[in-house]
Amino acid sequence: MEGYITIVIFSLITALIIFIKFLPYRNSREGKFLLTCILFFIISFISDLIFGFVDGKKTEVAKTINFIVSGIYLIAIVFASFFWLCFISFYKNTTKASLKKSCILAISFLIPVSIYSIFVITSYFNGYIFTIEQNDLGQYYYVSNSIGLVLNFIISGAYLLIGAFYSGYIFQKTTNQYNSKQYINMLVFSILPLLGAVFQFILKKSFDIFIPIFDLSFSIALLIFYAKYIENKLAYDELTGLPNRIIMKKVTDDLLKKKTVDNYYMILCDFDRLKRINDQYGHINGDQAIVDCASIINKICNKHKCLLTRYGGDEFIIITNPLNEDSVNNLIDEITYACIEFNESSIRPYRVEVSCGYSLINKEDIDYKDIVERADSMLYRKKGEKH
């Protein structure tokens, strides 16, 4: 039992720390769902910890406490899985249609959880899900009925499995690199507790061994999820989904460490008159204009297998594959024509126009700032020619 309690304490402390770390995101919709999910897991861990101390005790008080915490644990697990599925379903949903669909799904998935919770609560009278039984020595032990164990596993496991499939499905569809990284992170988080639940179920069912493997697998999954979530937050621009300056710097530094740079170019792209769009049409339209600009440039970059990053504000940086200078100018011309096509077909109130400057990445450069400075000088010469 000492090992059991140690695992639960580790899981509880881990969940509490990550819960506190995620508190700054509590004002967003998905943040609320994520924190609620973790909170229910914390409740389940606390219940499991108390269970570890009272299970097998002889007093009537221990029996009552055992029943209460066992019921809370079973209910908390299925609700935690439910809110995790809600977190995935509502993540980055902004349109009314997608939000409506997510709400309908949430309500439909809440029904099995609610029915199961009622069965758990009424087990005090009918023992349908579990009972607290007394052995020959007068000790009171938690005894799960087969149907109760199966139902808990099916509901919580099914929600985790649906979350895993949904994350994988959205990952295949999304072109936003920031979101795709987060969905892969959600996929991993869904699978680890699911595997832990399967293993725990097999041990209990086949060998009557009860080890809180699910608790442990969840805490490990939560640690991984938090680390990757923050890493993606730091390395990717949330508005456009593009890699940010951190990744641009890393890629450039890696190139400079090579013995030969092989005609890699850095192209600095500046969104013309973004301030005017913000002043005239508001910052919401300004943000949308940045997203549109990023999408236009990214399509060209994907075609030529180049890396596009958001450098900051209204500036983007492209790191090319090995090209000659004519090819770089052709790539810039493609971006210009793509902007013209967008402006001709778009119903947006603004126009997307981009100025570009570029520089060859030289092995003599000390760091990326030297390259950016040269590209910036050309950029402003080009801007001057426009006006």
Side-chain angles (χ1 to χ4, degrees):
M1 187 56 74
E2 286 183 5
Y4 183 102
I5 292 173
T6 301
I7 291 173
V8 176
I9 289 174
F10 169 79
S11 302
L12 175 59
I13 292 172
T14 301
L16 283 169
I17 291 171
I18 302 302
F19 180 83
I20 292 168
K21 292 288 187 181
F22 272 119
L23 278 176
Y25 305 105
R26 65 186 177 276
N27 293 326
S28 66
R29 187 190 306 107
E30 57 261 29
K32 286 183 174 69
F33 282 123
L34 180 60
L35 284 167
T36 306
C37 166
I38 299 172
L39 182 61
F40 270 105
F41 273 117
I42 289 171
I43 291 170
S44 74
F45 295 155
I46 293 172
S47 303
D48 210 9
L49 184 62
I50 297 171
F51 167 82
F53 285 108
V54 300
D55 196 47
K57 297 297 188 290
K58 297 180 179 180
T59 65
E60 286 292 328
V61 173
K63 176 186 176 182
T64 303
I65 293 173
N66 198 344
F67 178 84
I68 293 170
V69 296
S70 295
I72 290 173
Y73 175 84
L74 293 172
I75 293 171
I77 286 294
V78 292
F79 267 100
S81 302
F82 165 74
F83 279 106
W84 171 249
L85 188 57
C86 289
F87 167 69
I88 297 174
S89 177
F90 280 89
Y91 184 75
K92 295 301 176 188
N93 277 351
T94 54
T95 65
K96 288 184 178 179
S98 62
L99 285 172
K100 183 179 179 180
K101 186 186 292 184
S102 294
C103 286
I104 293 170
L105 284 172
I107 293 169
S108 63
F109 284 125
L110 182 60
I111 294 170
V113 172
S114 302
I115 293 172
Y116 175 78
S117 299
I118 293 170
F119 281 135
V120 170
I121 293 168
T122 56
S123 287
Y124 184 81
F125 307 102
N126 56 32
Y128 188 71
I129 301 296
F130 72 97
T131 58
I132 306 298
E133 296 183 359
Q134 191 175 31
N135 64 12
D136 294 337
L137 299 175
Q139 298 167 312
Y140 291 104
Y141 282 99
Y142 166 87
V143 178
S144 175
N145 293 336
S146 295
I147 187 67
L149 191 63
V150 169
L151 276 175
N152 188 275
F153 177 76
I154 287 175
I155 295 173
S156 57
Y159 287 2
L160 289 170
L161 190 61
I162 292 168
F165 276 115
Y166 183 75
S167 299
Y169 170 72
I170 299 297
F171 168 73
Q172 292 293 329
K173 286 183 62 178
T174 185
T175 56
N176 182 307
Q177 295 180 60
Y178 170 79
N179 284 345
S180 67
K181 290 278 186 180
Q182 296 293 30
Y183 278 113
I184 260 303
N185 197 15
M186 294 175 200
L187 176 63
V188 172
F189 181 90
S190 299
I191 289 173
L192 278 179
L194 183 60
L195 292 175
V198 170
F199 195 35
Q200 181 171 310
F201 180 80
I202 291 171
L203 285 177
K204 176 63 179 173
K205 193 70 178 171
S206 303
F207 305 102
D208 199 30
I209 299 173
F210 194 66
I211 302 173
I213 300 171
F214 179 79
D215 296 4
L216 182 61
S217 61
F218 169 78
S219 61
I220 293 171
L222 188 58
L223 281 171
I224 296 170
F225 177 80
Y226 174 75
K228 291 295 181 182
Y229 189 88
I230 297 303
E231 179 184 317
N232 292 334
K233 281 276 187 185
L234 293 174
Y236 285 81
D237 174 52
E238 194 166 358
L239 177 64
T240 62
L242 295 173
N244 64 17
R245 187 182 300 206
I246 293 173
I247 291 182
M248 182 276 295
K249 180 180 182 302
K250 183 180 183 305
V251 170
T252 308
D253 288 346
D254 288 344
L255 286 173
L256 292 175
K257 288 174 185 176
K258 291 184 175 181
K259 292 182 179 179
T260 56
V261 179
D262 294 329
N263 293 327
Y264 286 87
Y265 280 83
M266 175 185 285
I267 304 173
L268 179 61
C269 305
D270 184 81
F271 191 154
D272 295 336
R273 293 181 286 274
L274 178 61
K275 185 179 184 302
R276 184 183 299 176
I277 293 172
N278 283 325
D279 293 342
Q280 190 170 352
Y281 303 109
H283 285 275
I284 292 176
N285 275 309
D287 284 348
Q288 184 58 54
I290 291 171
V291 172
D292 290 335
C293 182
S295 177
I296 292 166
I297 301 173
N298 203 31
K299 285 178 183 176
I300 306 299
C301 288
N302 288 338
K303 175 183 172 183
H304 293 278
K305 296 181 172 59
C306 301
L307 173 69
L308 175 64
T309 65
R310 187 177 181 194
Y311 188 59
D314 56 359
E315 292 180 322
F316 302 89
I317 282 181
I318 302 169
I319 306 295
T320 72
N321 280 322
L323 296 173
N324 57 42
E325 192 166 0
D326 288 340
S327 297
V328 173
N329 282 306
N330 289 337
L331 192 153
I332 292 172
D333 287 342
E334 284 188 53
I335 293 171
T336 302
Y337 294 140
C339 288
I340 292 171
E341 288 179 3
F342 173 85
N343 293 329
E344 289 176 349
S345 60
S346 173
I347 59 171
R348 308 281 198 213
Y350 50 77
R351 293 175 60 82
V352 175
E353 297 176 350
V354 177
S355 298
C356 299
Y358 62 85
S359 174
L360 181 67
I361 299 175
N362 298 315
K363 61 182 179 180
E364 291 83 12
D365 291 317
I366 296 173
D367 63 20
Y368 77 95
K369 293 178 184 177
D370 297 334
I371 313 161
V372 172
E373 189 175 341
R374 292 196 301 271
D376 198 39
S377 297
M378 178 183 281
L379 168 67
Y380 278 93
R381 286 202 304 273
K382 296 285 185 182
K383 273 183 172 285
E385 292 170 6
K386 279 186 176 181
H387 307 293

